Amino acid sequence: MNASVTPWRGAARRDTNDLRADRRFRWLVTGAGLLVLAVLLAAAFSMAWGGRAAFEHFGVGFLWSREWDPVGQQFGAWVPIYGTLVTALIAMVIAIPVSFGIAMFLTEVAPKPLRAPIGIAIELLAGIPSIIYGMWGLFVLVPELSEHVYPWIDAHLGQWPLVGPLFSGPPLGLGMLTAGLVLAIMIVPFISSVMREVFLTVPTRLKESAYALGSTRWEVVWDVVLPSTRSAVIGGIFLGLGRALGETMAVTFVLGNAHDLTASLLMPGNSIAATIANEFAEADSPVYRSSLIALGFVLFLVTLVVLAAARLMLRRLAIREGR
């Protein structure tokens, strides 16, 4: 009888230990998730608390005021906000089609021996420090653009009726268009890597069936691959957008860092991250320092809104697709 009871007790003891281990693991991963949320809320609260003096002094008008005068202690966030949004938009307009082309080439067009080396090279671009991109942009890209590209743009596109104000101005090389171009180069590895990985998850039978029905390679990608991976592709795009919104050093090198609001993309401008990086060490008054911290809080809110919009879009796509 003892021999029959002992295995039962051993199995019960193992079940109890497994249940305790599962409970401890559940609490561990729950704590990890709550820790991320706590850090996020703590960062937001610290920036809001540090920028309270600016909001108390200037009110809500701080967000759309264009004045930035450290001597007169007058600060407004609209010029950095405008520069941040415009440079990020330029980067996305350039990076999305380039990333799509790279992902399509690596998954559908490139010979198999070339796919791995090119894919690794693109992923290595994501590991280059942003300051290297900034130095390359300042010492290599800016002179080339100011001598060969921007004069042609100003002479030809600057005279057009509607888009002329966007492309007119002195060919300085430094400006929002240059910053957007550098940002596009920086985020292409992130977006293209995500697109390539999700394109590879599409079942081969679906693509072969489309080819068998007479579809071209473009029709297969547009009608089969993209509908199957739409949610992941949008997620990768917004991942790149989040990187573009918060980039600091590369933008600081090539943006020009001028607190001027102009429609021309060839003129120098400023961004939230560049303003904080350039002027935080020089903030010699509580209001000045609080205004810079308030800019950080505004950047946090902008990024949060962008990512929340991405989640909402993905959820709507999932509901539409019946998931």
mmCIF file of all heavy atoms in Angstrom, residues 32-50:
data_model
loop_
_atom_site.group_PDB
_atom_site.id
_atom_site.type_symbol
_atom_site.label_atom_id
_atom_site.label_comp_id
_atom_site.label_asym_id
_atom_site.label_seq_id
_atom_site.Cartn_x
_atom_site.Cartn_y
_atom_site.Cartn_z
ATOM 1 N N ALA A 32 7.020 43.067 -14.612
ATOM 2 C CA ALA A 32 7.828 43.660 -15.680
ATOM 3 C C ALA A 32 6.985 44.601 -16.532
ATOM 4 O O ALA A 32 7.423 45.712 -16.881
ATOM 5 C CB ALA A 32 8.452 42.560 -16.541
ATOM 6 N N GLY A 33 5.767 44.169 -16.865
ATOM 7 C CA GLY A 33 4.892 45.039 -17.652
ATOM 8 C C GLY A 33 4.501 46.298 -16.897
ATOM 9 O O GLY A 33 4.506 47.402 -17.453
ATOM 10 N N LEU A 34 4.168 46.154 -15.612
ATOM 11 C CA LEU A 34 3.805 47.324 -14.809
ATOM 12 C C LEU A 34 4.995 48.242 -14.588
ATOM 13 O O LEU A 34 4.825 49.457 -14.460
ATOM 14 C CB LEU A 34 3.232 46.866 -13.463
ATOM 15 C CG LEU A 34 1.895 46.118 -13.526
ATOM 16 C CD1 LEU A 34 1.471 45.686 -12.135
ATOM 17 C CD2 LEU A 34 0.817 46.996 -14.168
ATOM 18 N N LEU A 35 6.205 47.674 -14.554
ATOM 19 C CA LEU A 35 7.399 48.505 -14.399
ATOM 20 C C LEU A 35 7.576 49.433 -15.593
ATOM 21 O O LEU A 35 7.914 50.621 -15.440
ATOM 22 C CB LEU A 35 8.634 47.620 -14.223
ATOM 23 C CG LEU A 35 9.978 48.348 -14.101
ATOM 24 C CD1 LEU A 35 9.990 49.234 -12.863
ATOM 25 C CD2 LEU A 35 11.124 47.346 -14.070
ATOM 26 N N VAL A 36 7.342 48.903 -16.799
ATOM 27 C CA VAL A 36 7.436 49.745 -17.996
ATOM 28 C C VAL A 36 6.413 50.875 -17.931
ATOM 29 O O VAL A 36 6.721 52.043 -18.221
ATOM 30 C CB VAL A 36 7.230 48.892 -19.257
ATOM 31 C CG1 VAL A 36 7.162 49.771 -20.498
ATOM 32 C CG2 VAL A 36 8.349 47.874 -19.395
ATOM 33 N N LEU A 37 5.193 50.547 -17.522
ATOM 34 C CA LEU A 37 4.155 51.568 -17.410
ATOM 35 C C LEU A 37 4.512 52.600 -16.352
ATOM 36 O O LEU A 37 4.306 53.810 -16.547
ATOM 37 C CB LEU A 37 2.814 50.899 -17.080
ATOM 38 C CG LEU A 37 1.602 51.830 -16.964
ATOM 39 C CD1 LEU A 37 1.362 52.557 -18.288
ATOM 40 C CD2 LEU A 37 0.364 51.047 -16.548
ATOM 41 N N ALA A 38 5.073 52.141 -15.228
ATOM 42 C CA ALA A 38 5.461 53.073 -14.168
ATOM 43 C C ALA A 38 6.582 54.005 -14.618
ATOM 44 O O ALA A 38 6.564 55.207 -14.326
ATOM 45 C CB ALA A 38 5.884 52.291 -12.925
ATOM 46 N N VAL A 39 7.562 53.458 -15.339
ATOM 47 C CA VAL A 39 8.650 54.304 -15.837
ATOM 48 C C VAL A 39 8.117 55.331 -16.824
ATOM 49 O O VAL A 39 8.526 56.510 -16.812
ATOM 50 C CB VAL A 39 9.738 53.427 -16.492
ATOM 51 C CG1 VAL A 39 10.762 54.282 -17.221
ATOM 52 C CG2 VAL A 39 10.428 52.572 -15.440
ATOM 53 N N LEU A 40 7.194 54.921 -17.685
ATOM 54 C CA LEU A 40 6.616 55.843 -18.656
ATOM 55 C C LEU A 40 5.860 56.968 -17.960
ATOM 56 O O LEU A 40 6.034 58.156 -18.291
ATOM 57 C CB LEU A 40 5.680 55.077 -19.591
ATOM 58 C CG LEU A 40 5.021 55.874 -20.713
ATOM 59 C CD1 LEU A 40 6.070 56.361 -21.705
ATOM 60 C CD2 LEU A 40 3.968 55.032 -21.418
ATOM 61 N N LEU A 41 5.038 56.611 -16.977
ATOM 62 C CA LEU A 41 4.287 57.628 -16.251
ATOM 63 C C LEU A 41 5.210 58.529 -15.439
ATOM 64 O O LEU A 41 4.984 59.742 -15.343
ATOM 65 C CB LEU A 41 3.255 56.959 -15.330
ATOM 66 C CG LEU A 41 2.122 56.207 -16.035
ATOM 67 C CD1 LEU A 41 1.227 55.526 -15.023
ATOM 68 C CD2 LEU A 41 1.309 57.156 -16.910
ATOM 69 N N ALA A 42 6.278 57.949 -14.872
ATOM 70 C CA ALA A 42 7.217 58.756 -14.098
ATOM 71 C C ALA A 42 7.947 59.754 -14.988
ATOM 72 O O ALA A 42 8.151 60.916 -14.604
ATOM 73 C CB ALA A 42 8.215 57.849 -13.381
ATOM 74 N N ALA A 43 8.336 59.319 -16.179
ATOM 75 C CA ALA A 43 9.006 60.237 -17.107
ATOM 76 C C ALA A 43 8.071 61.361 -17.527
ATOM 77 O O ALA A 43 8.472 62.537 -17.564
ATOM 78 C CB ALA A 43 9.502 59.463 -18.326
ATOM 79 N N ALA A 44 6.823 61.021 -17.836
ATOM 80 C CA ALA A 44 5.862 62.056 -18.230
ATOM 81 C C ALA A 44 5.600 63.026 -17.078
ATOM 82 O O ALA A 44 5.552 64.252 -17.279
ATOM 83 C CB ALA A 44 4.558 61.399 -18.683
ATOM 84 N N PHE A 45 5.449 62.497 -15.876
ATOM 85 C CA PHE A 45 5.175 63.363 -14.727
ATOM 86 C C PHE A 45 6.366 64.269 -14.430
ATOM 87 O O PHE A 45 6.190 65.459 -14.120
ATOM 88 C CB PHE A 45 4.840 62.513 -13.502
ATOM 89 C CG PHE A 45 4.635 63.321 -12.255
ATOM 90 C CD1 PHE A 45 3.453 64.019 -12.045
ATOM 91 C CD2 PHE A 45 5.632 63.405 -11.287
ATOM 92 C CE1 PHE A 45 3.261 64.780 -10.904
ATOM 93 C CE2 PHE A 45 5.452 64.155 -10.133
ATOM 94 C CZ PHE A 45 4.263 64.846 -9.940
ATOM 95 N N SER A 46 7.574 63.732 -14.525
ATOM 96 C CA SER A 46 8.755 64.547 -14.232
ATOM 97 C C SER A 46 8.905 65.683 -15.234
ATOM 98 O O SER A 46 9.253 66.818 -14.857
ATOM 99 C CB SER A 46 10.009 63.670 -14.225
ATOM 100 O OG SER A 46 10.231 63.106 -15.510
ATOM 101 N N MET A 47 8.637 65.423 -16.509
ATOM 102 C CA MET A 47 8.728 66.483 -17.509
ATOM 103 C C MET A 47 7.614 67.501 -17.336
ATOM 104 O O MET A 47 7.832 68.718 -17.483
ATOM 105 C CB MET A 47 8.708 65.886 -18.917
ATOM 106 C CG MET A 47 9.994 65.169 -19.299
ATOM 107 S SD MET A 47 9.995 64.592 -21.014
ATOM 108 C CE MET A 47 8.761 63.293 -20.923
ATOM 109 N N ALA A 48 6.399 67.022 -17.042
ATOM 110 C CA ALA A 48 5.303 67.959 -16.816
ATOM 111 C C ALA A 48 5.563 68.822 -15.586
ATOM 112 O O ALA A 48 5.299 70.027 -15.579
ATOM 113 C CB ALA A 48 3.980 67.193 -16.663
ATOM 114 N N TRP A 49 6.115 68.219 -14.531
ATOM 115 C CA TRP A 49 6.420 68.967 -13.312
ATOM 116 C C TRP A 49 7.553 69.956 -13.552
ATOM 117 O O TRP A 49 7.512 71.099 -13.072
ATOM 118 C CB TRP A 49 6.781 68.009 -12.193
ATOM 119 C CG TRP A 49 7.039 68.679 -10.873
ATOM 120 C CD1 TRP A 49 8.251 68.963 -10.312
ATOM 121 C CD2 TRP A 49 6.057 69.164 -9.968
ATOM 122 N NE1 TRP A 49 8.088 69.586 -9.110
ATOM 123 C CE2 TRP A 49 6.756 69.725 -8.866
ATOM 124 C CE3 TRP A 49 4.658 69.178 -9.966
ATOM 125 C CZ2 TRP A 49 6.094 70.297 -7.777
ATOM 126 C CZ3 TRP A 49 4.003 69.753 -8.883
ATOM 127 C CH2 TRP A 49 4.716 70.291 -7.822
ATOM 128 N N GLY A 50 8.561 69.542 -14.316
ATOM 129 C CA GLY A 50 9.655 70.453 -14.604
ATOM 130 C C GLY A 50 9.251 71.599 -15.509
ATOM 131 O O GLY A 50 9.843 72.691 -15.440
#
